[in-house]
Amino acid sequence: MSNHSPVSNESLAPSAPESEPQHDRSRILRSVKGPAQFLSFWVAIALPFVHLPLLAQGLGDPAVTLAFVVLLTANVFALYLGHGYNQH
C-alpha cells in the first residue's frame, strides 16, 4: 500500500528563489566593503593635506570657511568608513 498525500512535500518547503536575493545582496555588500574601506582610509589620510592651504589662507572668507567645514566633515566620514581597513 502506498500512502499518497493530497499535499506534496514541495509545497511545504520554503521556496529558494525568495531567499536568493538576500544572499546576493549580502554577497554584493561583502564584495564592496573591502574596496570602500580601502578608499575611505586613504581619503582620510590625504584630506588633511587639502586643509593646510585653506588654513594658511585664513578662514576669514565665508567661502573658504565653508570649504574647510565641508572638507572636515568629509574627512570625519572617511575616517569612520575606513577605520577597519586592513585589520585582521
Side-chain angles (χ1 to χ4, degrees):
M1 270 173 63
S2 73
N3 187 6
H4 292 285
S5 172
V7 179
S8 69
N9 287 339
E10 293 169 359
S11 66
L12 297 176
S15 61
E18 291 176 7
S19 64
E20 198 157 314
Q22 180 68 22
H23 178 68
D24 288 342
R25 190 178 321 144
S26 65
R27 187 178 69 206
I28 290 169
L29 287 176
R30 281 194 309 264
S31 68
V32 170
K33 183 180 177 184
Q37 279 187 328
F38 169 81
L39 183 63
S40 296
F41 175 81
W42 287 108
V43 166
I45 297 295
L47 272 178
F49 293 105
V50 179
H51 291 95
L52 292 176
L54 293 174
L55 289 173
Q57 180 181 351
L59 299 178
D61 183 17
V64 175
T65 303
L66 179 64
F68 179 78
V69 170
V70 168
L71 287 171
L72 187 63
T73 304
N75 197 4
V76 169
F77 187 66
L79 281 169
Y80 176 74
L81 290 178
H83 79 277
Y85 173 66
N86 210 16
Q87 291 182 353
H88 299 290

